[in-house]
Amino acid sequence: MPAVVSKLHAVIPHLLLILAGGVTTLAFAPYTLWWLPLVTLALLVFLLQRANTAKQAMLLGFSFGLGWFGVGISWVHISIDQFGGLPLAGSLGLMALLVAYLAIFPALASWLNHKLRLPVVMPLVFAASWTLAEWLRSVVLTGFPWLSLGYSQTSAGLKDFAPLIGETGISFLLVFAAAALAQICRPQAAISRYSYLLIAGAVFAISPFLNQVKGWQYSDNSLSVLLVQGNIKQELRWAPEQEWPTMMKYMDLTRPHFNTDLVIWPEAAIPKMEPLAQDYLDNLNRAALYADTAVISGILDYNVKSREAWNNLIVLGKRNADSTDGDYFYGHANRYSKHQLLPIGEFVPFENWLRNLAPIFDLPMSSFTRGGYVQPNLVANGYHILPAICFEIAFPTQIAANMTPDTQVLLTVSNDGWFGDSIGPHQHLQIAQMRAIEFGRPMIRATNNGITATIDASGNISARAAQFSETVLKDTLRLTHGNTLYSRAGNYPLWLLCSLILLPLLLQRTYRHYVARK
């Protein structure tokens, strides 16, 4: 009996952390309980402080990650189950592997925090360790930075820090505040127990006042846009017999509303390869020119000779405000090719081994070529537009690399039809909101079946179309001028701060280990 009680006592912290990690999902859209990570992460830190070994700390962090990602990205299973061609056991197994992989990163942060433990600076060490682990999550195997904690602050809390330090910096502050909250439960001198909590409280208190130093202002110019949401069922998008009905649907939805500055169609809205859609594109180009506007549409391109494919956005109709480009021709330069490809969906890692294992590794359109990391902005009707296709909007460093002094608008197009009526599209929209706040530019988001929306430069949703509807969304966005601090400095100040926190402790630990061995 004592042995059973002992085992139960050992398991309870992990069960609590799995629950806490899962509950953390409620901090993000569509629930937006922005304060929740302060509580759930504080529980993680509280239990980490009682870990006797680095292995115990790592397993606690892993448990939190299992709950965090197991619930937070559960929507991924919809695409695996419905379109992956796997039996239920196989799709659940693949989902479990993905969740376990992502849980490695909070486990790494917890392990490093324990290795460098120094109670007097614990909140800073934990925040820096977490930030390092999250950076690794954003780059390893091309990166998957979804559900980064800073996105929970898009509508409140630390939102106004975004133009200064970005979402990554907000994550640092949020984790620091949670650790400071946990610090008050640790027996120690009052100044050590409460000083960090006071600092964290001051951070939250000053956040609303930072709106005065965001770095940008509204200009006198505006942009009228039309976003077309075709609501094509995912299983029909690439059916050959549906090509022409789909293309005509987008044209019919657009034609009565050509009186806007800009028309946006979503990712791969035209389901025909660009070289095979020349007549249709030429007609669309002429219609846009006649209406004195421009159309930006997603379309796939394929080069027969090189056997390379690209997920593209192209501009048709007017390019400059005072002139036109003339006839459409294949290969024109006013286009954008997606750089950040989605693993499995758009490229298959270890392709030679995985392609034949299961249908999910051989999905249609799952072998694209990357576009350049830095590409010219699209120019449509005189407006300079920085594009991102689908998953790319989750990578602020790529957006920063493509910002120019002329950039006026951010644009993201997507097809979230893979994920059904889940929380995934809501989280995707929230990520787009954060990019608008970070860079002080209005954001246009056009999707196949939702959530299509326009977002102002402060991250507020200006207009929004109903999900799963065949509709058009019209809005007028106020343009801005000026640059945020984050758009100029990026994450470099944060990396410097984390280095100043972690490197001395790493050097101290290395020196002690060296002395002990001698």
Side-chain angles (χ1 to χ4, degrees), residues 342-366:
L342 185 65
I344 307 303
E346 292 176 316
F347 83 99
V348 179
F350 314 111
E351 183 173 4
N352 293 335
W353 292 289
L354 294 181
R355 277 284 183 195
N356 299 320
L357 285 182
I360 191 170
F361 297 117
D362 200 24
L363 289 170
M365 314 304 168
S366 60

Side-chain angles (χ1 to χ4, degrees), residues 308-368:
E308 292 179 299
W310 296 268
N311 188 352
N312 282 352
L313 284 170
I314 60 172
V315 179
L316 301 166
K318 287 184 65 177
R319 176 176 179 179
N320 301 310
D322 56 355
S323 64
T324 64
D325 283 332
D327 295 336
Y328 161 81
F329 63 91
Y330 173 63
H332 69 77
N334 200 9
R335 62 181 56 228
Y336 171 79
S337 299
K338 187 176 183 182
H339 170 79
Q340 191 70 45
L341 302 178
L342 185 65
I344 307 303
E346 292 176 316
F347 83 99
V348 179
F350 314 111
E351 183 173 4
N352 293 335
W353 292 289
L354 294 181
R355 277 284 183 195
N356 299 320
L357 285 182
I360 191 170
F361 297 117
D362 200 24
L363 289 170
M365 314 304 168
S366 60
S367 186
F368 285 103

Side-chain angles (χ1 to χ4, degrees), residues 34-55:
W34 61 269
W35 49 267
L36 196 55
L38 294 171
V39 180
T40 56
L41 273 174
L43 176 62
L44 171 60
V45 177
F46 175 80
L47 293 173
L48 286 176
Q49 289 174 329
R50 282 147 183 79
N52 295 320
T53 66
K55 181 179 178 181

Side-chain angles (χ1 to χ4, degrees), residues 23-89:
V23 168
T24 303
T25 301
L26 298 177
F28 300 92
Y31 313 105
T32 61
L33 301 181
W34 61 269
W35 49 267
L36 196 55
L38 294 171
V39 180
T40 56
L41 273 174
L43 176 62
L44 171 60
V45 177
F46 175 80
L47 293 173
L48 286 176
Q49 289 174 329
R50 282 147 183 79
N52 295 320
T53 66
K55 181 179 178 181
Q56 289 179 359
M58 180 179 66
L59 290 175
L60 290 170
F62 187 76
S63 297
F64 184 88
L66 288 179
W68 183 18
F69 296 111
V71 177
I73 65 164
S74 56
W75 47 269
V76 174
H77 184 256
I78 295 174
S79 59
I80 297 176
D81 182 49
Q82 294 185 8
F83 306 105
L86 292 173
L88 180 60

Side-chain angles (χ1 to χ4, degrees), residues 510-518:
T510 303
Y511 176 74
R512 287 180 177 176
H513 183 68
Y514 172 76
V515 171
R517 291 188 63 182
K518 296 205 56 170

Side-chain angles (χ1 to χ4, degrees), residues 27 95 125 132 231 275 294 300 305 314 374 443 460 481-482 490:
M95 189 68 195
V125 174
L132 175 61
N231 195 35
L300 305 184
K305 291 183 180 179
I314 60 172
V374 176
M443 170 75 73
N460 303 308
H481 61 86

